[in-house]
Amino acid sequence: MARPHRYPRMKLRCLLLLLVGCGGGAGDGEPAALIVPVVLDTLRSDTISRTLTVVGRLLPAPGGAAALSAPMDAMVRRVRVSVGDRVGRGEVLVELDAPELAGQAAALRAQADAATANAVRQRRLLSEGITSRRSVEEQEAVATAAEAAARAAEALLVRGNLVSPLSGIVAQVLVQPGERVAAGQGLAAVVDDGTLDLVAAVPAADLGLLRVGQLAAITVEGSATVEHGRIQAIAPSVDTMTNAAQVLVRVTGSGSRLRSGSSAEARVSVETRRGVLVVPDSALVLVGNAFQVFVLGPDSIVRGHPVVVGARQAGRAEITGDLVAGQVIVTAGAYGLPDSSRVTLRQAAP
């Protein structure tokens, strides 16, 4: 039960003695009067914010996730990280060993060196008039192609040390040392958890309340921790199947407090209402399809007044109806309270 507001000018915490029979006493054979504990407070105007709650899933921001795969057939020589480790950009995560590729790279380098030396020799012979320019050009073309092949093999060999392309946290490690992997096989994944996006589908009826830049309070399912973000983008079109559009709320600087893939909700402040009547949620009683608030009259009779509920925030609700600030209302214990009951006040025990 939400804690009602209490104001220093009128602390009306009390017990109400409901005279259910409103007739004779126990000596006349009537049932004993029913004592119902309630809390009273003064109705007043206040400020309340209207919020819209959207539910979605946390995902890495664009460019905030990287999946590393094997560039060639190889053997895993060493895995330097574990899931959950924080890594920096350029840090080596997995080392691969590819003996066949190393031998091939060495052979191609030898061929390239030999072709280059031959091209140099042919150029010297041309200067001495012993060979033709065509022979020189052909040999230089062979040397160029051999050098390109050797460099490509050497570059591929260097890629056997897989490095993280971004700073973040290791989300997956898919291999173990000594395991043979094929080209293209996934090895590890890194996520930048410092910036995450809450992607939510918002009904078309609520889209008009949202604007890019609005503040949002984000909570993850099962956690009381609140992070803060802003609406980053709103899809320009509505899905005809769901009648909803995608809204993206960006959360930055959350570190390890939020996890990619988690279900989360964002409470977006869409409107601030000032000078309106505000009551605790516990003062609202649902009668049929409408709400009522019980008001204590000068004749000590409690009467229900129908109200329309507006904005809600943190256990409080805006109401409109035939009520005015300064009236005394039942803020707790109103559920099941008989309407138009004559009451007398008894001071609550300290």
Side-chain angles (χ1 to χ4, degrees), residues 118-137:
N118 193 26
V120 172
R121 187 173 64 85
Q122 288 294 324
R123 174 67 64 180
R124 187 177 65 251
L125 294 175
L126 176 63
S127 65
E128 297 174 355
I130 300 175
T131 189
S132 66
R133 180 172 297 278
R134 180 177 181 180
S135 296
V136 173
E137 291 174 350

Side-chain angles (χ1 to χ4, degrees), residues 71-291:
M72 80 290 279
D73 294 345
M75 185 79 71
V76 178
R77 180 170 66 248
R78 182 182 178 190
V79 178
R80 292 192 176 187
V81 294
S82 300
V83 172
D85 286 351
R86 192 162 293 281
V87 296
R89 181 171 183 169
E91 184 173 340
V92 177
L93 308 183
V94 180
E95 297 177 8
L96 299 179
D97 190 10
E100 299 88 352
L101 180 60
Q104 181 183 5
L108 289 174
R109 169 50 58 197
Q111 293 174 14
D113 292 344
T116 301
N118 193 26
V120 172
R121 187 173 64 85
Q122 288 294 324
R123 174 67 64 180
R124 187 177 65 251
L125 294 175
L126 176 63
S127 65
E128 297 174 355
I130 300 175
T131 189
S132 66
R133 180 172 297 278
R134 180 177 181 180
S135 296
V136 173
E137 291 174 350
E138 289 176 350
Q139 190 56 49
E140 287 180 340
V142 170
T144 300
E147 180 66 25
R151 289 185 178 182
E154 290 166 349
L156 185 60
L157 192 61
V158 170
R159 289 173 57 195
N161 289 337
L162 278 79
V163 301
S164 175
L166 50 86
S167 297
I169 191 168
V170 177
Q172 287 183 310
V173 175
L174 304 174
V175 292
Q176 297 293 331
E179 182 177 345
R180 179 168 289 278
V181 295
Q185 181 176 335
L187 305 180
V190 179
V191 173
D192 177 7
D193 60 342
T195 301
L196 295 175
D197 288 339
L198 173 63
V199 181
V202 178
D206 294 332
L207 289 175
L209 301 173
L210 300 179
R211 299 287 185 275
V212 172
Q214 285 176 321
L215 293 174
I218 294 92
T219 55
V220 177
E221 185 178 3
S223 173
T225 302
V226 179
E227 300 292 341
H228 298 283
R230 291 181 180 272
I231 293 183
Q232 182 75 13
I234 301 173
S237 59
V238 174
D239 189 315
T240 56
M241 298 294 293
T242 62
N243 197 35
Q246 202 172 74
V247 173
L248 187 151
V249 181
R250 179 152 296 171
V251 192
T252 57
S254 62
S256 59
R257 295 186 296 273
L258 297 180
R259 297 182 182 276
S260 175
S262 300
S263 175
E265 67 176 26
R267 296 187 302 278
V268 184
S269 179
V270 297
E271 182 184 13
T272 299
R273 306 274 292 167
R274 295 180 172 85
V276 296
L277 296 178
V278 177
V279 300
D281 288 341
S282 56
L284 299 173
V285 178
L286 186 62
V287 179
N289 294 324
F291 285 103

